[in-house]
Amino acid sequence: CRFSQMLHPIFEEASNVIKEEYPDKNQVVFARVDCDQHSDIAQRYRISKYPTLKLFRNGMMMKREYRGQRSVTAIADYIRQQKSNPIQEVQDLEEISSLDRSRRNIVGYFEQKDSDNYRTFERVANILHDDCVFLSAFGAISKAERFSGDNVIYKPPGENAPDMVYLGSLTNFDLIYAWTQDKCVPLVREITFENGEELTEEGLPFLILFHMKDDLESLEKFQQEVARQLISEKGTINFLHADCDKFRHPLLHIQKTPADCPVIAIDSFRHMYVFPDFSDLSVPGKLKQFVLDLHSGKLHREFHHGPDPTDVAPGQPIQDLASSPPESSFQKLAPSEHRYTLLREKDEL
């Protein structure tokens, strides 16, 4: 790969620069993988373009890969930023009352910084700092909030939204990470021009609600039904919502326009499939069956060969569809001269 060959000396020089600043190899490790020789590694981490730079913390791959300039200075600066403290230290509890409540805030109250509780909190913050704001208070400053020991609080968006308290062990990384991720990463996320490629790189198909920006009622219904019917499918599919007006192009692929919204569709990264009727959203099990039909291959099969025999009414012939399902609108988000992209669509708008 010509671009990989071009990056190789730059990447190596950046590693030398960082090695001088962080000589302890437990601090920062640079590594490279030949994906021709190690295709199993490429497959495991869903590498689909070359070169790809991904960041790992504590053995976990971060969602956001490096997309900055391919220069020694830019890569070294990125590592320095990643090494900076992701937790804001509070000097007065009054600062907590003036937090930006449009953000998701996680606040830790600790007796001392040099403790296992805080070190676990710090590990979690290092991984999720792009999704939440992390703050901490220590000693006398935090004492009023530590009536039962060290404490971690989630302050959700909204001025009147009630706080939520973490009740598990503060030294159990898996528990506190799972709890914090649940709070910091919404079950239903918005897909935008800015995060579209990022979401695609997670490698999961999309279940998308297309709705008008001011149609919050449809969004709320969708969020409720996803939570009610599909919580067990978290990790097998991404639940998203998109602005119909901005994402006209994907709608055209399923022969819809903003006038048809709200519309629910699945993008499998091969094809797009439309949920038959938004009004059926609250029918028990209907949305879940739609997702299960994706996983079983039924949606793909029926688009090409018509309804399964078990779904055909007695005496009704099986329809042989000559046309293929609409192609994915989100699969190929990296710029290319041979395909449209969301980024290009943004420029057209």
Side-chain angles (χ1 to χ4, degrees), residues 285-306:
K286 193 89 171 182
L287 187 64
K288 182 167 186 175
Q289 190 59 53
F290 184 52
V291 172
L292 294 179
D293 287 346
L294 168 74
H295 295 326
S296 70
K298 181 178 179 181
L299 292 181
H300 184 80
R301 186 171 62 249
E302 289 193 339
F303 256 108
H304 286 287
H305 305 294

PDB file of all heavy atoms in Angstrom, residues 285-306:
ATOM      1  N   GLY A 285     -43.181  -6.401  20.177  1.00  0.00           N
ATOM      2  CA  GLY A 285     -42.310  -7.324  19.469  1.00  0.00           C
ATOM      3  C   GLY A 285     -42.070  -7.028  18.003  1.00  0.00           C
ATOM      4  O   GLY A 285     -41.240  -7.671  17.364  1.00  0.00           O
ATOM      5  N   LYS A 286     -42.776  -6.032  17.440  1.00  0.00           N
ATOM      6  CA  LYS A 286     -42.676  -5.775  16.002  1.00  0.00           C
ATOM      7  C   LYS A 286     -41.287  -5.250  15.620  1.00  0.00           C
ATOM      8  O   LYS A 286     -40.677  -5.726  14.654  1.00  0.00           O
ATOM      9  CB  LYS A 286     -43.741  -4.757  15.595  1.00  0.00           C
ATOM     10  CG  LYS A 286     -43.951  -4.639  14.090  1.00  0.00           C
ATOM     11  CD  LYS A 286     -44.983  -5.623  13.607  1.00  0.00           C
ATOM     12  CE  LYS A 286     -45.347  -5.350  12.158  1.00  0.00           C
ATOM     13  NZ  LYS A 286     -46.391  -6.266  11.678  1.00  0.00           N
ATOM     14  N   LEU A 287     -40.796  -4.280  16.370  1.00  0.00           N
ATOM     15  CA  LEU A 287     -39.479  -3.713  16.065  1.00  0.00           C
ATOM     16  C   LEU A 287     -38.380  -4.749  16.318  1.00  0.00           C
ATOM     17  O   LEU A 287     -37.434  -4.862  15.539  1.00  0.00           O
ATOM     18  CB  LEU A 287     -39.233  -2.464  16.915  1.00  0.00           C
ATOM     19  CG  LEU A 287     -37.976  -1.665  16.585  1.00  0.00           C
ATOM     20  CD1 LEU A 287     -38.065  -1.094  15.172  1.00  0.00           C
ATOM     21  CD2 LEU A 287     -37.775  -0.521  17.591  1.00  0.00           C
ATOM     22  N   LYS A 288     -38.536  -5.518  17.379  1.00  0.00           N
ATOM     23  CA  LYS A 288     -37.533  -6.544  17.673  1.00  0.00           C
ATOM     24  C   LYS A 288     -37.478  -7.589  16.573  1.00  0.00           C
ATOM     25  O   LYS A 288     -36.395  -8.033  16.169  1.00  0.00           O
ATOM     26  CB  LYS A 288     -37.826  -7.214  19.020  1.00  0.00           C
ATOM     27  CG  LYS A 288     -36.781  -8.261  19.390  1.00  0.00           C
ATOM     28  CD  LYS A 288     -36.873  -8.706  20.831  1.00  0.00           C
ATOM     29  CE  LYS A 288     -35.718  -9.632  21.184  1.00  0.00           C
ATOM     30  NZ  LYS A 288     -35.698 -10.005  22.604  1.00  0.00           N
ATOM     31  N   GLN A 289     -38.644  -7.997  16.053  1.00  0.00           N
ATOM     32  CA  GLN A 289     -38.669  -8.995  14.991  1.00  0.00           C
ATOM     33  C   GLN A 289     -37.972  -8.461  13.745  1.00  0.00           C
ATOM     34  O   GLN A 289     -37.293  -9.213  13.031  1.00  0.00           O
ATOM     35  CB  GLN A 289     -40.110  -9.395  14.662  1.00  0.00           C
ATOM     36  CG  GLN A 289     -40.210 -10.605  13.743  1.00  0.00           C
ATOM     37  CD  GLN A 289     -39.536 -11.842  14.337  1.00  0.00           C
ATOM     38  OE1 GLN A 289     -39.825 -12.242  15.469  1.00  0.00           O
ATOM     39  NE2 GLN A 289     -38.610 -12.443  13.594  1.00  0.00           N
ATOM     40  N   PHE A 290     -38.134  -7.172  13.488  1.00  0.00           N
ATOM     41  CA  PHE A 290     -37.472  -6.529  12.346  1.00  0.00           C
ATOM     42  C   PHE A 290     -35.954  -6.694  12.457  1.00  0.00           C
ATOM     43  O   PHE A 290     -35.267  -7.053  11.485  1.00  0.00           O
ATOM     44  CB  PHE A 290     -37.866  -5.052  12.316  1.00  0.00           C
ATOM     45  CG  PHE A 290     -37.336  -4.265  11.149  1.00  0.00           C
ATOM     46  CD1 PHE A 290     -37.513  -4.702   9.843  1.00  0.00           C
ATOM     47  CD2 PHE A 290     -36.677  -3.057  11.359  1.00  0.00           C
ATOM     48  CE1 PHE A 290     -37.038  -3.956   8.773  1.00  0.00           C
ATOM     49  CE2 PHE A 290     -36.209  -2.304  10.293  1.00  0.00           C
ATOM     50  CZ  PHE A 290     -36.382  -2.759   8.993  1.00  0.00           C
ATOM     51  N   VAL A 291     -35.422  -6.471  13.662  1.00  0.00           N
ATOM     52  CA  VAL A 291     -33.978  -6.613  13.891  1.00  0.00           C
ATOM     53  C   VAL A 291     -33.559  -8.084  13.828  1.00  0.00           C
ATOM     54  O   VAL A 291     -32.525  -8.427  13.239  1.00  0.00           O
ATOM     55  CB  VAL A 291     -33.586  -5.987  15.246  1.00  0.00           C
ATOM     56  CG1 VAL A 291     -32.138  -6.303  15.597  1.00  0.00           C
ATOM     57  CG2 VAL A 291     -33.808  -4.474  15.212  1.00  0.00           C
ATOM     58  N   LEU A 292     -34.376  -8.964  14.416  1.00  0.00           N
ATOM     59  CA  LEU A 292     -34.058 -10.402  14.370  1.00  0.00           C
ATOM     60  C   LEU A 292     -34.063 -10.924  12.932  1.00  0.00           C
ATOM     61  O   LEU A 292     -33.265 -11.795  12.575  1.00  0.00           O
ATOM     62  CB  LEU A 292     -35.054 -11.193  15.223  1.00  0.00           C
ATOM     63  CG  LEU A 292     -35.007 -10.934  16.736  1.00  0.00           C
ATOM     64  CD1 LEU A 292     -36.076 -11.767  17.451  1.00  0.00           C
ATOM     65  CD2 LEU A 292     -33.630 -11.241  17.303  1.00  0.00           C
ATOM     66  N   ASP A 293     -34.953 -10.369  12.116  1.00  0.00           N
ATOM     67  CA  ASP A 293     -35.008 -10.781  10.707  1.00  0.00           C
ATOM     68  C   ASP A 293     -33.750 -10.342   9.960  1.00  0.00           C
ATOM     69  O   ASP A 293     -33.362 -10.963   8.968  1.00  0.00           O
ATOM     70  CB  ASP A 293     -36.254 -10.207  10.023  1.00  0.00           C
ATOM     71  CG  ASP A 293     -37.536 -10.901  10.459  1.00  0.00           C
ATOM     72  OD1 ASP A 293     -37.445 -11.981  11.075  1.00  0.00           O
ATOM     73  OD2 ASP A 293     -38.627 -10.365  10.189  1.00  0.00           O
ATOM     74  N   LEU A 294     -33.125  -9.249  10.407  1.00  0.00           N
ATOM     75  CA  LEU A 294     -31.842  -8.856   9.831  1.00  0.00           C
ATOM     76  C   LEU A 294     -30.783  -9.895  10.183  1.00  0.00           C
ATOM     77  O   LEU A 294     -30.066 -10.399   9.317  1.00  0.00           O
ATOM     78  CB  LEU A 294     -31.409  -7.488  10.359  1.00  0.00           C
ATOM     79  CG  LEU A 294     -29.951  -7.118  10.038  1.00  0.00           C
ATOM     80  CD1 LEU A 294     -29.815  -6.748   8.577  1.00  0.00           C
ATOM     81  CD2 LEU A 294     -29.448  -6.002  10.938  1.00  0.00           C
ATOM     82  N   HIS A 295     -30.687 -10.229  11.471  1.00  0.00           N
ATOM     83  CA  HIS A 295     -29.654 -11.153  11.938  1.00  0.00           C
ATOM     84  C   HIS A 295     -29.802 -12.542  11.302  1.00  0.00           C
ATOM     85  O   HIS A 295     -28.805 -13.211  11.028  1.00  0.00           O
ATOM     86  CB  HIS A 295     -29.695 -11.280  13.465  1.00  0.00           C
ATOM     87  CG  HIS A 295     -29.356 -10.015  14.186  1.00  0.00           C
ATOM     88  ND1 HIS A 295     -28.437  -9.107  13.706  1.00  0.00           N
ATOM     89  CD2 HIS A 295     -29.807  -9.493  15.360  1.00  0.00           C
ATOM     90  CE1 HIS A 295     -28.332  -8.092  14.550  1.00  0.00           C
ATOM     91  NE2 HIS A 295     -29.157  -8.308  15.552  1.00  0.00           N
ATOM     92  N   SER A 296     -31.038 -12.973  11.080  1.00  0.00           N
ATOM     93  CA  SER A 296     -31.265 -14.317  10.527  1.00  0.00           C
ATOM     94  C   SER A 296     -31.061 -14.365   9.013  1.00  0.00           C
ATOM     95  O   SER A 296     -31.010 -15.445   8.422  1.00  0.00           O
ATOM     96  CB  SER A 296     -32.685 -14.782  10.851  1.00  0.00           C
ATOM     97  OG  SER A 296     -33.645 -14.021  10.101  1.00  0.00           O
ATOM     98  N   GLY A 297     -30.942 -13.184   8.390  1.00  0.00           N
ATOM     99  CA  GLY A 297     -30.798 -13.142   6.934  1.00  0.00           C
ATOM    100  C   GLY A 297     -32.121 -13.061   6.198  1.00  0.00           C
ATOM    101  O   GLY A 297     -32.161 -13.005   4.969  1.00  0.00           O
ATOM    102  N   LYS A 298     -33.212 -13.042   6.965  1.00  0.00           N
ATOM    103  CA  LYS A 298     -34.530 -13.052   6.329  1.00  0.00           C
ATOM    104  C   LYS A 298     -34.773 -11.783   5.502  1.00  0.00           C
ATOM    105  O   LYS A 298     -35.325 -11.859   4.392  1.00  0.00           O
ATOM    106  CB  LYS A 298     -35.617 -13.191   7.398  1.00  0.00           C
ATOM    107  CG  LYS A 298     -37.031 -13.243   6.831  1.00  0.00           C
ATOM    108  CD  LYS A 298     -38.064 -13.434   7.934  1.00  0.00           C
ATOM    109  CE  LYS A 298     -39.479 -13.463   7.339  1.00  0.00           C
ATOM    110  NZ  LYS A 298     -40.508 -13.625   8.385  1.00  0.00           N
ATOM    111  N   LEU A 299     -34.379 -10.622   6.004  1.00  0.00           N
ATOM    112  CA  LEU A 299     -34.615  -9.378   5.263  1.00  0.00           C
ATOM    113  C   LEU A 299     -33.913  -9.420   3.909  1.00  0.00           C
ATOM    114  O   LEU A 299     -34.499  -9.062   2.884  1.00  0.00           O
ATOM    115  CB  LEU A 299     -34.116  -8.177   6.071  1.00  0.00           C
ATOM    116  CG  LEU A 299     -34.873  -7.824   7.347  1.00  0.00           C
ATOM    117  CD1 LEU A 299     -34.260  -6.592   8.011  1.00  0.00           C
ATOM    118  CD2 LEU A 299     -36.349  -7.576   7.071  1.00  0.00           C
ATOM    119  N   HIS A 300     -32.672  -9.864   3.914  1.00  0.00           N
ATOM    120  CA  HIS A 300     -31.911  -9.934   2.664  1.00  0.00           C
ATOM    121  C   HIS A 300     -32.526 -10.962   1.709  1.00  0.00           C
ATOM    122  O   HIS A 300     -32.690 -10.697   0.518  1.00  0.00           O
ATOM    123  CB  HIS A 300     -30.459 -10.307   2.982  1.00  0.00           C
ATOM    124  CG  HIS A 300     -29.570 -10.320   1.784  1.00  0.00           C
ATOM    125  ND1 HIS A 300     -29.032  -9.180   1.240  1.00  0.00           N
ATOM    126  CD2 HIS A 300     -29.137 -11.350   1.005  1.00  0.00           C
ATOM    127  CE1 HIS A 300     -28.299  -9.488   0.189  1.00  0.00           C
ATOM    128  NE2 HIS A 300     -28.345 -10.799   0.017  1.00  0.00           N
ATOM    129  N   ARG A 301     -32.877 -12.097   2.266  1.00  0.00           N
ATOM    130  CA  ARG A 301     -33.441 -13.190   1.445  1.00  0.00           C
ATOM    131  C   ARG A 301     -34.762 -12.765   0.806  1.00  0.00           C
ATOM    132  O   ARG A 301     -34.996 -13.003  -0.383  1.00  0.00           O
ATOM    133  CB  ARG A 301     -33.634 -14.417   2.340  1.00  0.00           C
ATOM    134  CG  ARG A 301     -34.082 -15.663   1.620  1.00  0.00           C
ATOM    135  CD  ARG A 301     -34.028 -16.870   2.540  1.00  0.00           C
ATOM    136  NE  ARG A 301     -34.926 -16.743   3.694  1.00  0.00           N
ATOM    137  CZ  ARG A 301     -34.522 -16.586   4.944  1.00  0.00           C
ATOM    138  NH1 ARG A 301     -33.235 -16.504   5.228  1.00  0.00           N
ATOM    139  NH2 ARG A 301     -35.394 -16.496   5.946  1.00  0.00           N
ATOM    140  N   GLU A 302     -35.623 -12.124   1.589  1.00  0.00           N
ATOM    141  CA  GLU A 302     -36.942 -11.759   1.059  1.00  0.00           C
ATOM    142  C   GLU A 302     -36.865 -10.632   0.033  1.00  0.00           C
ATOM    143  O   GLU A 302     -37.694 -10.554  -0.871  1.00  0.00           O
ATOM    144  CB  GLU A 302     -37.871 -11.378   2.213  1.00  0.00           C
ATOM    145  CG  GLU A 302     -38.285 -12.584   3.059  1.00  0.00           C
ATOM    146  CD  GLU A 302     -39.434 -12.273   3.999  1.00  0.00           C
ATOM    147  OE1 GLU A 302     -39.643 -11.087   4.303  1.00  0.00           O
ATOM    148  OE2 GLU A 302     -40.114 -13.223   4.431  1.00  0.00           O
ATOM    149  N   PHE A 303     -35.863  -9.764   0.164  1.00  0.00           N
ATOM    150  CA  PHE A 303     -35.707  -8.721  -0.847  1.00  0.00           C
ATOM    151  C   PHE A 303     -35.374  -9.326  -2.205  1.00  0.00           C
ATOM    152  O   PHE A 303     -35.782  -8.809  -3.247  1.00  0.00           O
ATOM    153  CB  PHE A 303     -34.601  -7.749  -0.427  1.00  0.00           C
ATOM    154  CG  PHE A 303     -35.125  -6.441   0.092  1.00  0.00           C
ATOM    155  CD1 PHE A 303     -35.052  -6.109   1.438  1.00  0.00           C
ATOM    156  CD2 PHE A 303     -35.722  -5.537  -0.767  1.00  0.00           C
ATOM    157  CE1 PHE A 303     -35.537  -4.901   1.910  1.00  0.00           C
ATOM    158  CE2 PHE A 303     -36.211  -4.326  -0.305  1.00  0.00           C
ATOM    159  CZ  PHE A 303     -36.125  -4.006   1.039  1.00  0.00           C
ATOM    160  N   HIS A 304     -34.609 -10.430  -2.184  1.00  0.00           N
ATOM    161  CA  HIS A 304     -34.198 -11.026  -3.448  1.00  0.00           C
ATOM    162  C   HIS A 304     -35.179 -12.066  -3.968  1.00  0.00           C
ATOM    163  O   HIS A 304     -35.323 -12.235  -5.174  1.00  0.00           O
ATOM    164  CB  HIS A 304     -32.817 -11.679  -3.280  1.00  0.00           C
ATOM    165  CG  HIS A 304     -31.702 -10.681  -3.207  1.00  0.00           C
ATOM    166  ND1 HIS A 304     -31.254  -9.984  -4.300  1.00  0.00           N
ATOM    167  CD2 HIS A 304     -30.951 -10.251  -2.152  1.00  0.00           C
ATOM    168  CE1 HIS A 304     -30.265  -9.181  -3.952  1.00  0.00           C
ATOM    169  NE2 HIS A 304     -30.066  -9.320  -2.646  1.00  0.00           N
ATOM    170  N   HIS A 305     -35.857 -12.774  -3.064  1.00  0.00           N
ATOM    171  CA  HIS A 305     -36.667 -13.917  -3.495  1.00  0.00           C
ATOM    172  C   HIS A 305     -38.132 -13.832  -3.084  1.00  0.00           C
ATOM    173  O   HIS A 305     -38.871 -14.800  -3.258  1.00  0.00           O
ATOM    174  CB  HIS A 305     -36.061 -15.213  -2.932  1.00  0.00           C
ATOM    175  CG  HIS A 305     -34.619 -15.389  -3.297  1.00  0.00           C
ATOM    176  ND1 HIS A 305     -34.191 -15.584  -4.593  1.00  0.00           N
ATOM    177  CD2 HIS A 305     -33.493 -15.361  -2.523  1.00  0.00           C
ATOM    178  CE1 HIS A 305     -32.865 -15.680  -4.609  1.00  0.00           C
ATOM    179  NE2 HIS A 305     -32.418 -15.553  -3.377  1.00  0.00           N
ATOM    180  N   GLY A 306     -38.548 -12.715  -2.524  1.00  0.00           N
ATOM    181  CA  GLY A 306     -39.930 -12.604  -2.100  1.00  0.00           C
ATOM    182  C   GLY A 306     -40.144 -13.210  -0.730  1.00  0.00           C
ATOM    183  O   GLY A 306     -39.219 -13.757  -0.122  1.00  0.00           O
TER     184      GLY A 306
END
